[in-house]
Amino acid sequence: MQQLPPDETIRAALQKSHARLHRQHEIVVEYGVTSLKSTDLDALLTQACAAVAKGMQTRFAKVLMPIPESDEFLLSHGVGWDKSDIGRARVGGDVASPAGYAIATYRPVLSNHLGQEFRFRTPELLKKYGIERAINVPIRGILGPFGVLEADSGDGDDFIESDLVFLEGISNVISMAVERLSESTNTPPPNPYSESMLNASPDCVKILTANGEIEFMNDAGMCLMHIGDLAQVRGLSWSQLWPDESRALVQNAVGKVANGESARFEAYCPTAKAEPKWWDVTLAPILGLDGSVDKLIAVSRDITERHRHEAELLSLIEAQNSRQTTTDLHMEEIHHRVKNSLHLVNTLLLLQANLTPDEAVRLQLQTAAERVVTIASVHERLYQTAGTQDVRALDYLAALLSDLGKALADRKIILDADSFILPPERMAPLGLVISELITNALKYGKGTITVSVKGAQDHALITVTDEGDGFPESYPKPSGTGLGMRLIKSYSGYGGSAITVDRHEKNSTIHVRFKL
């Protein structure tokens, strides 16, 4: 598999992170809408566990409920656990357990290394399932703690800070549902989106009329937007709070949701104090008793910090690309100067040939001058980049070996190469490796040299054979500096494991694996 460049690797990681955040945000909103339509708390708690498992991409999630007059929790609801454990398994509820600490401090607890954890003991239940990572988030009740929402994993990537926000979002929805379902069932509340429920959310939550006017904004939203009193914005069109560059996007989303659909977008909107902020917004309809759209709910999550990090990363990528471009220009200048120097040597040799009275010497100087010109063409061939286009290895190597044959020897060089595609950044390394192997065959071997290059998924197998009697046992460490072998190891991409001397063949044969 071809390795991605550093900037593409960063972009891929960003896309993966964004996808995870978007998926989690959507799951919280979907679960919140579901909770408002349900009157079965047990079903809601099981659905909460399923939502957590989906959002965290893990098999295990559970709700732990305090057991009255006991220092333990009961695994009351969950997914991934054996049915025999749900409703029966217990874990410690004291501060030495992650769940107990979360309840005692009313703060989330994240641990990616339970087996090495010194703050808490690992519950036997988690050991039984091979759990290595866990997040525990308290669930608020009406008069006290309701329980703990927990995500667990025995494999995969570490949990991250944004996962805490996701679990807290699900926990807040559970708290709202507990409050709503605890109210009298004989007199249903006039508005299922009660102010206390909406104020429990850490995001900016607005209730809008069907045509997009603000009716309500929760406490967290007014704090985030630096709005001192709801009266400042009540009755205003929500789109008026957005700057000109974002207003059309907001109006289109409101129109779409007013027709019964859902909408999602990211946009820039400063606060009332002109503090710059970016928002991830989910907009959904609230249906009336007749099934028509009665109101709209907009949930805006502050993603300013994430947006700032993205901008910094993109800036770093651009700086890296700029440095790479500068380096490439320097390399092109160096290669140009080498080529010019070789042509200068050619000119000096021809001048010397014209001045010598000895015919034999003149012939030798002219031959040397021709060799220098050919070497210059080999150099140019090795360091050509072919722009941004991939090339066929067969075409590139055929031209290169033709130049090498003219420049280095009168011996015959035969090429047997597959027609696989060669990335431009691997052209020069492949040419250099093969040049070193041919030079080695010219120095130590004899007769015809055969070069075989066969593609094998993510690498090529290079085989160079001549008509010599094979390599000595000490090879590949022949007398001399061994610079050629070091270059081959470096350019191959596989280090010392790249080179294999075939001692089963009667003629000199060497194999090199080359990473594409």
Side-chain angles (χ1 to χ4, degrees), residues 43-219:
L44 273 178
L45 294 176
T46 299
Q47 289 168 356
C49 296
V52 167
K54 181 180 179 182
M56 301 287 285
Q57 293 183 314
T58 183
R59 176 185 168 192
F60 301 99
K62 61 179 178 288
V63 171
L64 297 172
M65 306 270 294
I67 299 175
E69 300 180 1
S70 170
D71 200 18
E72 290 183 311
F73 286 113
L74 176 70
L75 197 171
S76 60
H77 305 78
V79 295
W81 315 94
D82 291 343
K83 290 184 179 180
S84 59
D85 284 327
I86 297 176
R88 295 182 180 85
R90 300 186 176 200
V91 299
D94 59 318
V95 292
S97 75
Y101 187 83
I103 281 286
T105 61
Y106 251 86
R107 294 175 58 188
V109 177
L110 184 154
S111 180
N112 282 313
H113 307 284
L114 287 172
Q116 306 168 26
E117 183 64 75
F118 294 104
R119 296 175 299 170
F120 315 111
R121 65 175 180 272
T122 302
E124 292 300 322
L125 176 67
L126 301 191
K127 292 180 181 178
K128 172 184 173 181
Y129 288 88
I131 301 299
E132 297 180 0
R133 283 170 286 284
I135 295 183
N136 289 264
V137 173
I139 304 171
R140 290 175 290 102
I142 299 174
L143 300 176
F146 177 80
V148 174
L149 180 64
E150 182 173 338
D152 302 290
S153 175
D155 52 22
D157 297 332
D158 285 355
F159 293 149
I160 56 179
E161 293 296 327
S162 60
D163 293 332
L164 292 175
V165 178
F166 167 60
L167 254 71
E168 286 181 319
I170 298 292
S171 172
N172 286 336
V173 174
I174 295 174
S175 298
M176 297 176 194
V178 169
E179 177 184 350
R180 177 173 63 84
L181 295 175
S182 297
E183 296 176 359
S184 172
T185 56
N186 295 326
T187 306
N191 179 9
Y193 293 87
S194 68
E195 291 189 11
S196 59
M197 291 168 61
L198 298 176
N199 282 328
S201 173
D203 295 324
C204 179
V205 183
K206 284 80 56 184
I207 299 297
L208 313 176
T209 63
N211 61 359
E213 294 177 354
I214 299 173
E215 285 192 353
F216 173 81
M217 183 181 294
N218 68 341
D219 292 341

Side-chain angles (χ1 to χ4, degrees), residues 288-308:
L289 296 176
D290 59 356
S292 63
V293 176
D294 182 37
K295 300 181 188 300
L296 314 180
I297 180 170
V299 181
S300 304
R301 175 158 294 178
D302 183 357
I303 58 170
T304 307
E305 191 70 11
R306 191 196 84 193
H307 195 271
R308 182 178 66 81

Side-chain angles (χ1 to χ4, degrees), residues 396-418:
Y396 171 64
L397 293 175
L400 176 64
L401 265 61
S402 175
D403 291 341
L404 283 170
K406 296 173 184 177
L408 301 180
D410 296 327
R411 284 163 58 184
K412 186 177 182 181
I413 302 176
I414 299 174
L415 174 65
D416 176 20
D418 287 346

Side-chain angles (χ1 to χ4, degrees), residues 31-45 47 177 180-181:
Y31 179 65
V33 172
T34 299
S35 73
L36 293 166
K37 301 175 182 178
S38 176
T39 58
D40 187 339
L41 183 59
D42 284 327
L44 273 178
L45 294 176
Q47 289 168 356
R180 177 173 63 84
L181 295 175

